[in-house]
């Protein structure tokens, strides 16, 4: 993409309304624009990152055997009356009447609807286990939306739902999602710790939140330090046999505020390993057995009669993840994107736009890197060099390829790594080769 | 994908509520499930096709220089008061009040919001032309939703918006979208004819609908027969100079019912070329000048003072396209997907599941075709052969690779083309080679 043809409305000043760094940086970089309280438009830079995160989530869900579909944003109130949650949900549920005065709502989650789909389509225990997921916009009418996409009202969520014949099978499904989540967050460059959590309005008796530590986190969390840097299981696992991964992660103490037991924490965790910090929730998984399947009559034919299915649900806050990643990875100059989700892989900075040799070298690099499959932003405007550096640092492109007349005279270009700040002068072709495989 | 691990709830019977073939087939194949009047869940088969259509639309929009973003589904009523459309829109607009009694709506289209984004971010005429698009769920509260996704209430639309300094430049933007649309529909296997159209609630004075002919079309259309089979311009065009493409398509008579002039039609079109038929609208483009930019004050600094920008908008009914494609391409046995949007490229049919040689050959084919980048559905259940054929015909996979014990004994497999019905017996390796590049 040539910057001159892209739409990147950077702000010169820090927006006054932003209280936390991710909100400030998302506004300054023109990633989002507020259209109403807690409702944002995703401008092209933000949209690109959102899509890259979505793709990683989709890939890891598919690998864990979950099948993608898409449920609508609006739902019938009557569906929620079947589970008893229509009255329970309170003011966070956005209630709507259509032109025929039918009661509807903007879905804050989809347990009821997926249960309805299941009971209308699946007949036999032989079709289980089944795991379905979608990535769709949800709405929660927060009393006081704040912190940008971290606590918005219209937000993008990945939610998955598992169906099994009994609790033992449902625990296997839970472990599959538990493992997939560790892999997802690892690919996003995040150190997410699963913590015993409260089940809240979803219900059930087994639940983990996946938490990343950050000073701006919304709640207090407590865990054993060793959990923070544990490597993700990766994909070379036996998906039918993951209990050891679950055990390995849950043997050490980790709990959110609501589930925290301070006496146990201090007894179980050596003092120098006690981490008491703020955390951001990026995922939340639940096993809730028959909570929805029983009142909604989601049953299958088993070998010895009807079986009420055991269910779980598994959420990832996709739009919130942009904020969480920025909270975890930024510096004074701006965002430092992990390479996996950066809006562009490489920024080409032309130090003297209009200079014949510089323009030709930049064009050549632009084409070569694109051919190598890299997502390239060519900063091709006639702004001065300092402004170009600042802009590319601000939006956090992992690599800068800096091309100027002085270096070019010797056949040299400069590579800059955004995360380390390291700058390296190399022959032009070497620079291309290195960035082609970066 | 192995069918045994996929979620494909086929219906045995034709659903009584479906009046047109696309609705009937989308329900029977388990592509969609109705969750409320005119509101559908997209089950995995339907979701896959939806995503493939979306991808083609995105690619062709990018090629034409449009930049993708994403606007939210909910909008503020006050924004629509600025353009004067809040009162005009009538009952088709779904009006919502949030917990603080703020008036909102579920966006049926985005002219106001994109104009607000533009005026808040773009300052100079040097940043024009600008073309932005998004693909987002919209809501129109139809009095009587019907025909499945063809006239739903919650529907997926691609809408693009262009901003230019004057009418001449805006006409160039219009031509770019006109050309992109011809390419999009051609890649989708559709013969879409641009027709002079009424501007309706969007407004403006230049507008074309892109229409495909089908007996179940919602409106009467009239055109010169030669327009129907004109090849698409393709991508090897000069995007700054497309007037000849626009002229070439609009020189011959083509109009929707609202714009039809029967005397002109009969005078201009030779009798044997007069096509009077039913049509399905799959795209609609508008040039409306300052209709939104003037009341909403979307101006840029020009060389000689402020310029009110000239705008156009360009819609493609993404979810409706699935219905339109099926209306245009089906037979007694089911759907015939164009290869570009088929949910799977190849279906492998194992004629004797459990037979060692058949299973091994199917596994080998499954892996080889996947490695070749093909999207493969392996029908690996123990249903009888007839049921497998019927299912794969019904869901319309373009190629079937049929593997049975008798053929295999001679090293042979069968290829079946869904569109032509042609069956060909070939050596196993030749079959794989042919399908790998199909």
């Amino acid at each position: 993409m040539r910057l001159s043809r892209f739409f990147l409305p950077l702000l010169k000043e820090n927006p006054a309304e932003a209280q936390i760094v991710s909100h400030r940086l998302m506004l300054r970089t023109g990633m989002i624009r507020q259209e109403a309280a807690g409702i944002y438009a995703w401008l092209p830079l933000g949209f690109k990152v959102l899509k890259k995160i979505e793709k990683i989530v989709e890939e890891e869900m598919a690998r864990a055997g979950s099948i993608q579909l898409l449920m609508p944003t609006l739902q019938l109130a009557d569906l929620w009356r079947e589970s008893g949650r229509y009255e329970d949900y309170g003011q966070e549920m956005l209630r709507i009447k259509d032109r025929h005065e039918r009661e509807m709502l903007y879905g804050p989650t989809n347990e009821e609807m997926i249960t309805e789909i299941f009971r209308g389509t699946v007949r036999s225990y032989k079709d289980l286990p089944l795991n379905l997921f979608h990535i769709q916009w949800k709405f929660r009418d927060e009393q006081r939306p704040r912190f940008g996409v971290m606590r918005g009202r219209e937000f993008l969520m990945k939610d998955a739902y598992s169906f099994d014949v009994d609790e033992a099978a449902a625990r296997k499904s839970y472990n599959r999602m538990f493992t997939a989540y560790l892999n997802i967050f690892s690919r996003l460059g995040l150190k997410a710790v699963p913590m015993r959590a409260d089940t809240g309005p979803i219900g059930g008796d087994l639940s983990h939140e996946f938490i990343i530590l950050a000073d701006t986190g919304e709640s207090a969390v407590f865990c054993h330090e060793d959990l923070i840097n544990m490597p993700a299981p990766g994909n070379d696992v036996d998906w039918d046999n993951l209990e050891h991964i679950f055990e390995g992660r849950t043997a050490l103490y980790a709990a959110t505020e609501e589930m925290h037991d301070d006496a146990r924490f201090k007894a179980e965790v050596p003092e120098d390993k006690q981490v008491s910090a703020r955390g951001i929730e990026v995922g939340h998984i639940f096993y809730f057995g028959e909570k929805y399947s029983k009142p909604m009559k989601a049953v299958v034919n088993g070998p010895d009669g009807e079986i009420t299915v055991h269910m779980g649900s598994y959420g990832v806050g996709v739009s919130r993840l942009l904020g969480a990643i920025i909270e975890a990875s930024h510096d004074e100059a701006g965002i430092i994107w992990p390479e996996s989700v950066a809006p562009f892989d490489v920024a080409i900075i032309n130090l003297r736009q209009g200079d014949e040799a510089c323009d030709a070298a930049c064009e050549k690099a632009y084409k070569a890197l694109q051919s190598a499959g890299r997502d390239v932003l060519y900063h091709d405007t006639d702004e001065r060099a300092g402004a170009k550096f600042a802009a590319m640092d601000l939006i956090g492109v992992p690599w800068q390829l800096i091309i100027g007349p002085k270096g070019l005279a010797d056949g040299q270009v400069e590579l800059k790594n955004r995360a380390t700040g390291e700058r390296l002068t190399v022959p032009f072709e070497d620079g291309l080769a290195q960035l082609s495989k970066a």
Side-chain angles (χ1 to χ4, degrees), chain A:
Chain A
M1 179 62 68
R2 292 167 199 276
L3 184 60
S4 59
R5 297 194 189 160
F6 194 52
F7 178 60
L8 184 67
L10 302 181
L11 298 186
K12 292 230 167 58
E13 308 293 335
N14 273 327
E17 73 267 35
Q19 299 165 38
I20 61 172
V21 64
S22 61
H23 189 195
R24 192 164 70 234
L25 284 171
M26 289 183 79
L27 290 171
R28 273 206 65 189
T29 54
M31 295 182 72
I32 53 171
R33 181 177 174 82
Q34 180 167 302
E35 296 299 328
I39 301 180
Y40 292 87
W42 294 78
L43 304 187
L45 192 75
F47 179 72
K48 285 197 76 170
V49 179
L50 191 68
K51 284 316 239 190
K52 289 191 181 185
I53 293 175
E54 222 183 276
K55 185 155 182 280
I56 287 174
V57 173
E58 286 173 351
E59 287 171 2
E60 295 303 322
M61 290 302 292
R63 222 189 293 272
S66 188
I67 303 166
Q68 193 166 8
L69 45 60
L70 185 61
M71 290 176 270
T73 60
L74 298 195
Q75 309 187 17
L76 289 175
D78 279 344
L79 190 59
W80 285 65
R81 291 202 173 95
E82 288 193 49
S83 70
R85 284 208 295 181
Y86 188 65
E87 305 307 332
D88 293 355
Y89 225 89
Q91 286 204 288
E92 281 197 10
M93 178 181 278
L94 186 67
R95 294 158 207 260
I96 300 171
K97 278 194 181 152
D98 73 6
R99 67 189 293 170
H100 300 299
E101 296 290 316
R102 272 176 299 215
E103 289 175 285
M104 310 189 67
L105 58 101
Y106 199 122
T109 176
N110 285 66
E111 280 79 10
E112 284 80 359
M113 190 178 280
I114 201 78
T115 305
E116 188 282 326
I117 290 172
F118 180 89
R119 78 178 172 197
T121 53
V122 180
R123 296 278 161 267
S124 167
Y125 75 105
K126 290 181 188 162
D127 294 325
L128 304 187
L130 180 65
N131 186 314
L132 300 169
F133 81 100
H134 77 154
I135 300 179
Q136 177 62 291
W137 293 91
K138 312 285 194 296
F139 201 90
R140 284 187 198 158
D141 203 356
E142 298 271 356
Q143 165 72 9
R144 203 162 70 85
R146 59 192 180 280
F147 305 148
V149 301
M150 298 286 283
R151 191 173 282 270
R153 294 198 292 167
E154 187 170 330
F155 62 98
L156 189 62
M157 186 163 93
K158 186 285 298 175
D159 36 325
Y161 303 89
S162 64
F163 303 87
D164 284 282
V165 290
D166 58 23
E167 180 173 350
R171 287 296 295 257
K172 277 180 187 281
S173 293
Y174 190 89
N175 289 344
R176 266 194 286 273
M177 291 294 101
F178 188 94
T179 303
Y181 275 38
L182 293 173
N183 288 336
I184 287 170
F185 298 123
S186 167
R187 281 188 65 189
L188 296 175
L190 293 173
K191 293 174 179 176
V193 180
M195 301 194 184
R196 256 325 261 263
D198 192 25
T199 57
I202 303 290
D205 38 34
L206 174 64
S207 174
H208 286 86
E209 283 184 21
F210 288 74
I211 300 276
I212 63 164
L213 305 185
D215 294 340
T216 50
E218 67 244 315
S219 60
V221 296
F222 306 84
C223 72
H224 190 298
E225 194 186 5
D226 290 358
L227 285 169
I228 299 171
N229 289 305
M230 273 193 188
N235 301 311
D236 193 18
V237 296
D238 171 4
W239 287 99
D240 292 321
N241 188 10
L242 298 165
E243 190 62 21
H244 62 290
I245 291 172
F246 179 79
E247 297 290 347
R249 294 280 169 164
T250 53
L252 299 178
Y253 189 95
T256 60
E257 201 163 14
E258 298 80 16
M259 302 295 279
H260 181 53
D261 174 343
D262 209 55
R264 236 194 82 203
F265 180 55
K266 297 216 161 107
E268 287 181 19
V269 184
E271 208 174 333
D272 63 330
K273 294 281 190 185
Q274 288 174 6
V275 175
S276 159
R278 307 290 300 173
I280 299 172
E281 178 199 330
V282 287
H284 200 162
I285 64 177
F286 303 87
Y287 162 66
F288 42 70
E290 303 176 342
K291 177 175 156 86
Y292 301 91
S293 53
K294 201 162 185 176
M296 294 184 68
K297 300 190 179 54
V299 298
V300 291
N301 297 317
D304 311 306
E306 272 189 355
I307 298 168
T308 299
V309 294
H310 284 243
M311 292 174 56
S313 77
Y314 314 91
V316 170
V318 176
S319 50
R320 137 177 290 225
L321 270 166
L322 279 93
I325 292 170
I326 295 172
E327 291 294 331
S329 184
H330 64 272
D331 62 15
E332 283 302 305
I335 303 167
I336 302 172
W337 290 114
E339 301 205 5
S340 59
V341 299
F344 297 96
D345 300 314
V346 180
I348 298 173
I349 297 183
N350 188 339
L351 292 182
R352 195 174 293 167
Q353 208 74 38
D355 174 273
E356 206 173 308
C358 284
D359 290 1
C362 286
E363 288 293 336
K364 188 179 165 185
Y366 182 55
K367 285 187 185 118
L369 293 173
Q370 284 192 316
S371 302
R374 310 300 291 170
D375 201 346
V376 188
L377 180 64
Y378 172 18
H379 199 320
D380 64 342
T381 73
D382 51 14
E383 281 174 86
R384 62 189 173 76
K388 290 188 179 186
F389 289 132
M392 295 303 100
D393 280 351
L394 182 67
I395 69 170
V397 182
W399 290 95
Q400 294 172 17
L401 172 62
I402 302 159
I403 299 181
K406 227 150 95 187
L408 263 193
D410 300 326
Q412 307 276 306
V413 294
E414 227 179 333
L415 304 188
K416 180 181 160 189
N417 183 286
R418 174 66 181 90
T420 63
E422 212 179 336
R423 295 172 76 131
L424 203 66
T425 300
V426 294
F428 183 61
E429 295 296 339
D430 292 4
L432 293 191
Q434 190 170 327
L435 292 178
S436 292
K437 56 176 200 270

